[in-house]
Every structure is written in structure tokens, then in C-alpha cells.
Amino acid sequence: MDSKNQSAARPLANFHPDVWGDRFLVYEPESNEVGEKQVAEELKEEVKRELKEASIDYVRQLKMVDAIQRLGIEYLFQEEIDEALQNLSEKFDDFCKDKHDLYTTALSFRLLRQHGYRVSCKTFDKFKDEEGGFKFNAASVTGVLEFFEATYLRVHDDELLDRAHVFTRNYLESVLPSLSNPEAEQVGHALYQYSNRRGFTRLEARHYIPIYEKTASHNPLLLKLAKLDFKLLQSMHKRELSEICRWWKSLEVPTKLFYARDRIVENYFWVAGIYFEPEHAFARNVFNKLQMLVVVCDDTFDAYATFEELQLFTEAIESWSASSLDHLPDNMKLIYKSFLEIFDEFEEEMIKQGRSYRTSYGIEAIKMVVRYYFDEIKWRGKKKMPTMEEYMEFAKRSTVYLPLMIVTFMGMGDIVTKQVLDWVLSEPPIVTANLIICRLTADIVGHEFERDREHIPSSIECYMKEHKASEQDAIEEFNKRIESAWKDINETFFRPTEIPAPLLVLLLNYARVMEVIYSKGDWFTHVGPEMKNFITQLYIHPLP
């Protein structure tokens, strides 16, 4: 019987088709890319010199580091910025001691906390009033905005910053109608879009570059480099997107796996949110392919296959052998064969690089994904309403964030070691925090859609039943837990870190994925104007 005729008995989700067609299939290289790369290198050297010269002027160096970060070019100056922040950290206490400048105090605090320095929030005590609020100079909206951004770096026991977050938000909301651009754009973005801490690096740069250009005090050298770098990165990402789209098209997903989400472009955006830099091109390519197959696996388990088919597929994945192909339905053969081919190519490359141990970690990660999905199916069959804690223990795993983190790291350079991969698998606090953020955010935005289908109860339903609470009560509780998990992430960055800080940033980026793609709706599954706008800004339209 034709698979589409069998579908009436299957739990189909009826996902909408791909919205991009063949738009990204063909890549047309820029005619002067070699010359532009040379200009970018020359500009980089100029910036390095200027950053070094700024070391004798605290405020100049501080503003320069902030601009470099917000313009999306921090990755070009990692060593120089580390040196600058070390210098700023040594001067921070003396500089802030006698100054009532909220802007420089908050900016110093945010940048130092971001880079793991244990600066105390007591530095803001001087801005408190007698009633437990804060007193601001009415003209210093920029300072209040920077204080608001700094509160996103709060950790547990930072009660002052908890209060400041609410206070500064209320203040900025009250003054926003009276502001003019570019200040109004920045305040509106921080309030209603994404904070500096929680937004995607490339999207935040795309938003900030035009604002920075309108700022009277902007640094022309930084602006020129940021615009050129954006153009070069956009070209590279478009080339990669073309390659990954051609690979995806060769699998004939819309016909052979018609029930699955056809989201290769959105998937590329997701992966580039974890790492966008040129040095990670190989890792990004492998991760893109494997994550897209994981999406297809998710939909096969959740929205198509029978229990018996899933049992066969799980056993085949556990055996990891081409001989298992013969026993699988055609759709599963395609998925399984694709996994095997990707890992065969990956293993060849790892042997060349002297990193062959990583292949076994990657294969085990895919086995974990399939195990977790199959456990979810078995749980669904019980038709039991678990307690909230029972649900979370199980449902954190079914986010498959943990194995995806291994897949993220496995194609990277020397910075990743066997010890790093084992550390991720041990589920340290930053990993657990990500699992909580992923699970609860996905349940908040997705439980209505899932409730209409045969699905395990969401955390919302479990919490409501166990605590005899309303849906709104459950959402408020989960938002508190999500904020607590963000504090765990922030604490992980304090020096000394257990793994190199650049790898912690990639794990932070997993939480940012949930913030950007899922916190206001599941924009990966239901691709609407917001997701289209993100992709258009980064991969279609040049900077104005």
C-alpha cells in the first residue's frame, strides 16, 4: 500500500511545506571578495593598534570593546579583548569608587561579568534610593538602558539586580514614548526583542550596525570593518547554505519523507546561531546535516511511524551496521543510510586530523537521540499523567540537547578534547540549565498544538493537575525556573572555568536559540514573518 494511503492511521502533524523554494540553491560569488578580504585584514590591524592605544584611557577602551562586541566583530579580536578586559578589571574598583556615572559603571559590570570576572553587584549600591528603588539622572536613559542590559548577567543571590531588572524595565517602558531615534530603537529592541546577553550574535550585529552609524560619536574605523565583515560573512553563509540545500534536495524529502518538517534553511539559521565563524565551517556542515536528520527522526517518531517500525529503527541504530538496512521501511532506510554516509565521511576526515576518537562520541550521540525518542513513544503508550518532577526527569532528555551538544563539538578544532566531551556528558550545571530552558520554553509555546494530537502530557498539564493550578500559574512558575536556569548559565562563566570559555559561549548559544526561535512561538515548526525576517536580514539583503 502507498505510504500516503496508510497515513490515515498515523499521528500526522501536517506541517506546512518549505517556504523558500529554490531561493538558496544557487550561490553567486562576489566578484571582488579576495580584494575585500585583504582590506578587512588591513582594517583589523588598524583596530588592534587603536585598541592598544586606548589602554591608557579607561572609558575609551571600555566603549571600544563594547562597540567591537555589539558590531559582531569580537571574534576577530579575542586575544586583544581578553587583554583589554584584564586591564579594565584591574582598574574597575578604583574607577567606579568615586564616580556616579551609571553608564560606565553598568557597562563595565556587564562586560566584565560576560567574560567571567567576579565583579560584585554592590557596585550599584550608590544608585539606590531610600525606598529600595533606584535614583537616576533624568537625562541618562543610555545609562538606565545599560543597567537594564547588565541585569541579564545576574546570578543567584544577586537580589539587587533582580530588583533592578524590574525597576529599569518599568522606567524604560515609561520613557520610551518620549524618546527619538536612534535611542528609541535601542530601548525598544532591548525591551521587546532581545537583550545583548540573550540575542543571536549575528542578528544583534545586523540590528546594531545601522544604529551605530547614526550615533554621532561612532568610530569610523570600527564601522567600516563591521560593514565589510558582515558582507564577507554573509557571502560565506550563503555559499554554505547553497551547499547544504543541494544536499537536502538530493534526499528528496518532500516526496520520500513527506510527513517531516522541510526546514533546511531554518535549520542552517539555528546552527549558525551556535557558531557562525569561518573557522567552524567543517563543524557547521556536519552539524547541519546531522541536526536536520535528527529533526526528521523526531517527526518520524512523533508524527508518522508505528510502534513496531520505531522498534525496528531503534534496534538498527543501536547496531550501527549497513546490514540492518534490509529490515527497515523505505523512509527509515533513507534516514539510516544518510546517517551512515555522513559518519563514514566524518570518520575519514577525523583520521586525517588525528582525532578518530570523536567518531564514536558522535555515533553514541545519535544513538542517545533515538533512544530518547523511543522512550518518549513508550511513555506515550502508558497514557499516564506523571508528576511534574517525573515529567521533567524524562522530558529534559527528550529535548536531545545533550547529544546535540556533542555533535556541535565533534567537528571542531584542537580546543575540543576527549575531556571536554566527557565533561558535557556528565551534565554540568550549564548543560542541565539548557535542558530546563529548552523543555519549559518549548512546552509553554507548544502545548496547545501538541494537545490536539496524541502526545504525552506537557509540563503545563502536569503542573496544573498536580498543583490544581491555572495555565497562567503554570506559565509564571516556569518563567521563574527559566530565569533561575539562566543564572546557572551565568555562574558557569566565572573564572576559572572548567572548560575553555569559547566552548561555554557555544553552550550559552543553545539557550539563546530557545530565546530567539522559540520564546515567542515555535518559529522553526511554524515559519512566519518573524523567522522569514531573520533569514532575509542575514542571508538575502545586504546591509543598507
Side-chain angles (χ1 to χ4, degrees):
M1 186 189 297
D2 180 84
S3 60
K4 289 197 179 185
N5 291 334
Q6 294 181 34
S7 63
R10 298 178 182 274
L12 293 180
N14 297 313
F15 302 118
H16 71 74
D18 167 56
V19 300
W20 301 104
D22 292 340
R23 172 182 274 279
F24 295 102
L25 214 53
V26 178
Y27 166 70
E28 294 177 7
E30 297 284 336
S31 57
N32 190 31
E33 200 163 297
V34 175
E36 288 177 331
K37 284 181 178 177
Q38 181 57 41
V39 172
E41 286 300 317
E42 292 166 5
L43 291 171
K44 270 171 61 179
E45 293 308 312
E46 288 185 55
V47 170
K48 287 178 184 180
R49 283 194 295 275
E50 198 168 312
L51 196 51
K52 196 163 189 176
E53 288 167 11
S55 62
I56 58 171
D57 183 334
Y58 186 95
V59 174
R60 182 184 170 200
Q61 188 174 44
L62 182 72
K63 288 183 175 181
M64 201 167 175
V65 169
D66 179 47
I68 287 170
Q69 182 214 67
R70 285 179 174 265
L71 292 167
I73 51 178
E74 184 180 13
Y75 78 102
L76 300 174
F77 304 102
Q78 294 286 11
E79 285 182 24
E80 292 78 13
I81 284 177
D82 284 346
E83 286 176 20
L85 287 164
Q86 178 64 40
N87 179 50
L88 291 167
S89 73
E90 291 165 4
K91 299 175 180 176
F92 174 70
D93 288 335
D94 286 341
F95 181 84
C96 293
K97 188 167 52 180
D98 301 318
K99 289 190 172 55
H100 255 68
D101 182 350
L102 180 60
Y103 173 77
T104 52
T105 302
L107 180 56
S108 300
F109 178 90
R110 177 173 66 78
L111 289 176
L112 290 170
R113 274 263 178 122
Q114 276 177 198
H115 289 81
Y117 290 93
R118 291 178 180 270
V119 287
S120 171
C121 64
K122 287 181 179 175
T123 192
F124 295 107
D125 280 349
K126 59 192 171 191
F127 299 105
K128 291 195 298 187
D129 62 22
E130 297 74 26
E131 286 130 34
F134 297 86
K135 52 193 176 199
F136 304 135
N137 179 337
S140 180
V141 172
T142 309
V144 180
L145 175 60
E146 197 51 62
F147 192 16
F148 178 63
E149 291 279 14
T151 65
Y152 282 100
L153 274 295
R154 63 195 187 274
V155 296
H156 298 286
D157 298 326
D158 275 347
E159 291 176 12
L160 181 148
L161 293 181
D162 288 332
R163 292 199 309 277
H165 182 74
V166 176
F167 194 92
T168 52
R169 172 177 280 281
N170 291 340
Y171 179 89
L172 291 169
E173 285 177 339
S174 71
V175 300
L176 180 58
S178 65
L179 300 178
S180 54
N181 289 333
E183 201 169 49
E185 285 179 82
Q186 288 181 272
V187 171
H189 185 79
L191 286 172
Y192 305 120
Q193 294 299 314
Y194 306 103
S195 69
N196 182 280
R197 182 61 168 174
R198 300 188 184 181
F200 272 14
T201 304
R202 297 314 299 155
L203 276 179
E204 292 307 296
R206 177 65 181 78
H207 169 75
Y208 187 68
I209 290 170
I211 289 176
Y212 186 69
E213 188 169 17
K214 292 178 207 165
T215 306
S217 60
H218 76 257
N219 181 319
L221 177 61
L222 292 183
L223 181 65
K224 188 175 181 182
L225 177 58
K227 284 185 162 188
L228 184 53
D229 183 68
F230 189 94
K231 184 181 180 185
L232 290 169
L233 278 179
Q234 186 179 62
S235 179
M236 180 193 74
H237 290 153
K238 284 162 80 171
R239 183 179 69 249
E240 291 180 355
L241 197 43
S242 169
E243 290 166 4
I244 205 78
C245 285
R246 288 200 302 275
W247 167 78
W248 184 243
K249 187 161 187 164
S250 73
L251 299 183
E252 300 179 66
V253 169
T255 51
K256 293 183 177 177
L257 302 169
F258 66 91
Y259 55 85
R261 283 168 289 180
D262 190 356
R263 302 287 184 273
I264 192 64
V265 176
E266 292 76 15
N267 188 72
Y268 183 86
F269 171 77
W270 196 112
V271 169
I274 304 295
Y275 39 21
F276 63 86
E277 301 88 342
E279 68 185 281
H280 300 313
F282 174 74
R284 195 162 44 246
N285 180 48
V286 174
F287 186 22
N288 259 301
K289 290 178 179 178
L290 289 176
Q291 169 148 293
M292 204 57 235
L293 290 178
V294 166
V295 170
V296 171
C297 277
D298 186 14
D299 295 339
T300 301
F301 275 78
D302 191 45
Y304 186 69
T306 65
F307 183 86
E308 293 72 21
E309 288 168 345
L310 294 174
Q311 198 161 19
L312 276 176
F313 185 70
T314 304
E315 288 166 1
I317 288 286
E318 292 287 1
S319 73
W320 204 264
S321 166
S323 61
S324 301
L325 279 167
D326 299 338
H327 311 297
L328 296 173
D330 288 346
N331 65 313
M332 291 179 168
K333 277 181 185 169
L334 174 57
I335 301 166
Y336 193 37
K337 187 164 173 286
S338 299
F339 273 131
L340 294 177
E341 286 172 353
I342 291 166
F343 272 99
D344 284 347
E345 290 174 18
F346 179 74
E347 186 169 31
E348 276 181 41
E349 184 59 32
M350 289 301 99
I351 289 169
K352 281 185 211 166
Q353 294 181 13
R355 300 178 178 130
S356 54
Y357 72 91
R358 294 195 189 177
T359 307
S360 60
Y361 278 89
I363 291 171
E364 181 56 30
I366 299 305
K367 289 181 180 181
M368 288 168 71
V369 167
V370 172
R371 258 179 239 143
Y372 294 163
Y373 286 158
F374 193 51
D375 286 346
E376 186 174 19
I377 294 300
K378 289 188 283 189
W379 186 298
R380 184 195 296 173
K382 293 178 183 176
K383 300 191 183 298
K384 174 195 168 195
M385 179 72 77
T387 66
M388 179 65 191
E389 295 317 310
E390 285 173 337
Y391 170 86
M392 283 301 292
E393 197 53 41
F394 160 78
K396 281 188 298 186
R397 291 198 306 275
S398 68
T399 64
V400 304
Y401 250 29
L402 175 60
L404 286 179
M405 288 169 180
I406 296 298
V407 175
T408 300
F409 285 175
M410 73 183 198
M412 291 176 65
D414 291 337
I415 193 171
V416 172
T417 62
K418 189 175 184 299
Q419 289 72 27
V420 165
L421 297 175
D422 289 335
W423 181 82
V424 172
L425 289 169
S426 73
E427 293 190 39
I430 191 171
V431 171
T432 302
N434 265 296
L435 301 183
I436 291 167
I437 290 169
C438 179
R439 182 72 275 151
L440 295 181
T441 304
D443 282 359
I444 288 170
V445 302
H447 82 281
E448 295 285 353
F449 177 73
E450 300 296 358
R451 192 160 54 188
D452 294 338
R453 303 172 52 237
E454 184 188 344
H455 211 266
I456 65 169
S458 76
S459 53
I460 300 268
E461 294 165 279
C462 295
Y463 186 89
M464 287 169 64
K465 181 168 183 185
E466 185 178 346
H467 296 277
K468 298 183 172 51
S470 68
E471 182 176 316
Q472 190 55 40
D473 289 338
I475 290 171
E476 285 175 11
E477 170 63 23
F478 292 173
N479 281 327
K480 286 178 191 170
R481 295 190 189 192
I482 288 168
E483 286 304 318
S484 178
W486 271 102
K487 291 178 180 180
D488 290 336
I489 290 174
N490 290 338
E491 284 188 348
T492 303
F493 279 81
F494 284 146
R495 300 176 180 214
T497 58
E498 294 187 67
I499 65 170
L503 297 180
L504 292 179
V505 172
L506 302 192
L507 299 181
L508 163 65
N509 288 343
Y510 267 85
R512 287 169 163 166
V513 163
M514 295 311 300
E515 180 78 10
V516 173
I517 301 180
Y518 295 93
S519 69
K520 298 178 177 74
D522 181 351
W523 295 343
F524 183 90
T525 299
H526 313 291
V527 181
E530 302 88 356
M531 177 63 90
K532 288 179 187 174
N533 184 45
F534 292 160
I535 288 167
T536 299
Q537 285 185 65
L538 293 188
Y539 310 129
I540 296 176
H541 293 331
L543 271 171

